[in-house]
Amino acid sequence: IQLQESGPGLVKPSQTLSLTCTVTEASITTVNFYWSWFRQPLGEGLEWVGAIGYNGDTHYNPSLYGRTTISRDTSKNQITLHMSSITPADTGVYYCARAPGSAATSLSDSSLYHNWGQGTRVTVSS
């Protein structure tokens, strides 16, 4: 399985960030897997952004709820992250990752994820 993140490297404050995770060698609808977005600000640890399950259900970090939307395009086998009202605090490397269904009650635990993309760097600056 391969996960590849893509998106604009530079976003202006107040805009909406859109990132795509393209998955190959596995289907995003395979039963009992969850697909999450994490991010890592420079010099800090990983922060869970949110997840979408194999059946399309979504889960979000409460601190980002309201301005984060995760969706999927099953025809393209892609997971998409949209984050509105971007500020410089949203700068960092964004990763997509896959976890088995056993992670359902602990989706924010990065250690439960077996497959990761290489990450895409996002800088929020005017």
Side-chain angles (χ1 to χ4, degrees):
I1 179 176
Q2 293 188 19
L3 295 81
Q4 179 68 59
E5 304 90 344
S6 60
L10 179 65
V11 185
K12 293 184 177 180
S14 80
Q15 291 186 337
T16 294
L17 169 67
S18 295
L19 299 176
T20 298
C21 175
T22 300
V23 180
T24 55
E25 306 299 330
S27 172
I28 62 174
T29 59
T30 299
V31 172
N32 231 19
F33 281 98
Y34 289 86
W35 306 83
S36 276
W37 285 95
F38 286 84
R39 67 181 185 178
Q40 185 169 27
L42 186 64
E44 300 184 25
L46 279 171
E47 177 184 33
W48 178 66
V49 176
I52 187 166
Y54 62 96
N55 58 0
D57 61 319
T58 53
H59 312 265
Y60 298 105
N61 184 329
S63 69
L64 301 172
Y65 189 82
R67 65 185 190 100
T68 303
T69 302
I70 296 175
S71 58
R72 64 181 185 174
D73 185 331
T74 57
S75 67
K76 297 181 179 179
N77 216 38
Q78 293 176 332
I79 307 293
T80 301
L81 168 67
H82 295 289
M83 185 177 291
S84 62
S85 304
I86 290 293
T87 73
D90 296 309
T91 293
V93 180
Y94 285 71
Y95 300 90
C96 63
R98 185 182 78 161
S102 56
T105 58
S106 303
L107 292 172
S108 61
D109 185 348
S110 62
S111 69
L112 300 179
Y113 289 78
H114 300 166
N115 307 103
W116 291 80
Q118 63 182 21
T120 185
R121 183 174 299 277
V122 174
T123 300
V124 182
S125 175
S126 55

